[in-house]
Amino acid sequence: MHVLTGLCDGTLDRPDAVCVADRTLSGEALLGAGRAVAADVAGAGVVAIHATPTLETVVAMVGALAAGVTVVPVPPDSGVAERAHLLGDSGAELLLRTGPDALPPSGVPEVPVDVARRSAVAPPPADPDRLAMIMYTSGTTGAPKGVMLSGAALAAGIDALAAAWAWTPADVLVHGLPLFHVHGLVLGLLGPLRIGSPLRHTGRPHPRRYAAAQGTLYFGVPTVWSRVAAEPSAARALARARLLVSGSAPLPVPVFERLWALTGHRPVERYGMTETLITVSGRADGERRAGHVGLPVDGVVTRLVHDDGAELPRDGVSIGELQVRGPMLSSGYWRRPDATAASRTVDGWLRTGDVAAIGADGWHRIVGRASTDLIKSGGYRIGAGEVEDALLAHPAVREAAVVGVPDDDLGQQVTAYVVADGVSARELAGFVGEHLSAHKRPRRIHFVQRLPRNAMGKVQKTLLT
């Protein structure tokens, strides 16, 4: 059965099709358990899944997608108000419970998931063009919006990455990412099910668990890779892998270089968002460049646009908003035609809201979000990521985040927040000045104990200023 209507045939005969935190299901068992869940939710329109990092969540996802219902992943750490918004806004009719304890009352009937149940009755094939999933954004600019993803879009996104990464049933995927984001859920769960490669989810992305998993393909966010690089014995164990992939946030150049030194692998970076899935990536058989996310995947075209709407040159220097087209793009925002219209240009491109530069050879470098990472200071357009990389190159700096703070004279002032030991603000500003143009040097540097990050390791810059 197709991954988006059940389980890929390639995993059916595997005794270790899916392993989550040392609990394993064979392909046959996963198929039978998923069919039991499909029977539970048959006839519903929208079904929410409490997306814990468990086998129960895997079975729930397989079953709900097999039944052809629309799935809404609910983060397990969501508060009462956030959960109420996701369930109410989506119109969820059922909530699949993947843990032993009842959830706080939400008004939505709960259905517990039991991985020991089996059914031999296959649901009818689902329409690939149906609304397969509503994934909610992080809500950094208001209440979370539901991103509508069809079965066809999910399949196109996975297939494009399979081609880029030479991902086959012979691979064994390892990761410990949350199962409610694109990275961990679409790439990290639906991906191996569609392709037919076993999945070993480590429960938590601890370096030693990654090292012990003995996979060929590893997924991680920069925070995970930074921790792996900080444990040389764990990192060296990954030398046996075929490919290391980093995403969800920019991988700092020093982490890229340390992983390369310890594992012999240059990590593949890729770029995407909930609204687009993955549209740009490095290739398994191609070059990997630190600080760059590669080339558009199959079926995707990109362009850079200035604030005034003019298309920018591909010279590796000009930075502007990245706009994309491709078969894996979402169909818009759930019950938000206003937001859907605002996210598209009149000629059909999706506005990512991210700032990038594209070289003459097509390689993409992501600067960051237009709202927080494009700094306009003294008439210059400065990418926060470039300044962050320069700060991270200093041996005393462990973490860095750069933002633009309103300034009466400059418009915005380049301001840095760093986690560092034994170095002064003046020394760091001078260090950046040795590597970058003078106008990119931080005017103010704040030393902090840690940077605020979300579940995927992205720095929440709105909490810094």
Side-chain angles (χ1 to χ4, degrees), residues 94-284:
L94 297 171
L95 174 59
L96 294 179
R97 191 178 79 232
T98 60
D101 301 322
L103 298 170
S106 64
V108 177
E110 292 183 18
V111 176
V113 177
D114 182 355
V115 300
R117 292 175 61 214
R118 302 288 184 269
S119 174
V121 180
D127 179 359
D129 293 323
R130 77 192 189 283
L131 176 57
M133 192 173 292
I134 303 173
M135 299 191 78
Y136 278 81
T137 62
S138 59
T140 55
T141 57
K145 299 188 291 291
V147 176
M148 299 187 292
L149 294 163
S150 70
L154 293 169
I158 293 167
D159 291 348
L161 291 180
W165 299 341
W167 189 359
T168 74
D171 280 304
V172 175
L173 173 64
V174 176
H175 72 87
L177 302 173
L179 297 180
F180 51 88
H181 285 301
V182 167
H183 199 165
L185 174 55
V186 178
L187 279 60
L189 174 56
L190 302 188
L193 292 179
R194 177 170 176 81
I195 290 162
S197 62
L199 167 64
R200 295 178 183 169
H201 191 289
T202 59
R204 297 180 62 187
H206 193 281
R208 287 192 291 274
R209 295 184 183 184
Y210 270 41
Q214 298 183 344
T216 65
L217 178 61
Y218 284 79
F219 290 171
V221 298
T223 300
V224 172
W225 292 125
S226 177
R227 291 172 181 172
V228 169
E231 294 196 23
S233 61
R236 292 190 184 100
L238 302 189
R240 297 186 296 265
R242 183 179 67 81
L243 200 65
L244 311 182
V245 179
S246 182
S248 297
L251 182 68
V253 172
V255 177
F256 178 102
E257 293 175 342
R258 184 157 175 78
L259 282 173
W260 181 15
L262 290 169
T263 69
H265 293 290
R266 296 181 178 92
V268 164
E269 293 193 67
R270 86 300 182 282
Y271 163 79
M273 51 196 299
T274 307
E275 291 87 342
T276 66
L277 301 184
I278 306 306
T279 52
V280 181
S281 178
R283 302 299 195 266

Side-chain angles (χ1 to χ4, degrees), residues 325-411:
R325 280 176 162 171
M328 63 286 294
L329 269 58
S330 74
S331 51
Y333 295 106
W334 175 253
R335 295 177 174 172
R336 290 288 305 274
D338 55 335
T340 299
S343 69
R344 262 68 174 181
T345 66
V346 293
D347 54 349
W349 293 77
L350 186 139
R351 307 175 191 270
T352 66
D354 285 322
V355 178
I358 304 177
D361 56 2
W363 271 75
H364 289 53
R365 176 172 58 86
I366 305 299
V367 173
R369 296 296 293 171
S371 57
T372 57
D373 295 312
L374 178 59
I375 302 170
K376 300 175 182 178
S377 180
Y380 294 100
R381 294 160 62 89
I382 303 165
E386 186 178 20
V387 184
E388 289 163 357
D389 282 342
L391 286 164
L392 288 166
H394 193 287
V397 177
R398 300 195 301 277
E399 298 181 76
V402 172
V403 297
V405 174
D407 182 87
D408 291 339
D409 179 42
L410 298 171

Side-chain angles (χ1 to χ4, degrees), residues 401-427:
V402 172
V403 297
V405 174
D407 182 87
D408 291 339
D409 179 42
L410 298 171
Q412 287 183 303
Q413 183 183 87
V414 180
T415 302
Y417 293 80
V418 300
V419 180
D421 296 310
V423 66
S424 69
R426 183 174 181 177
E427 288 175 288

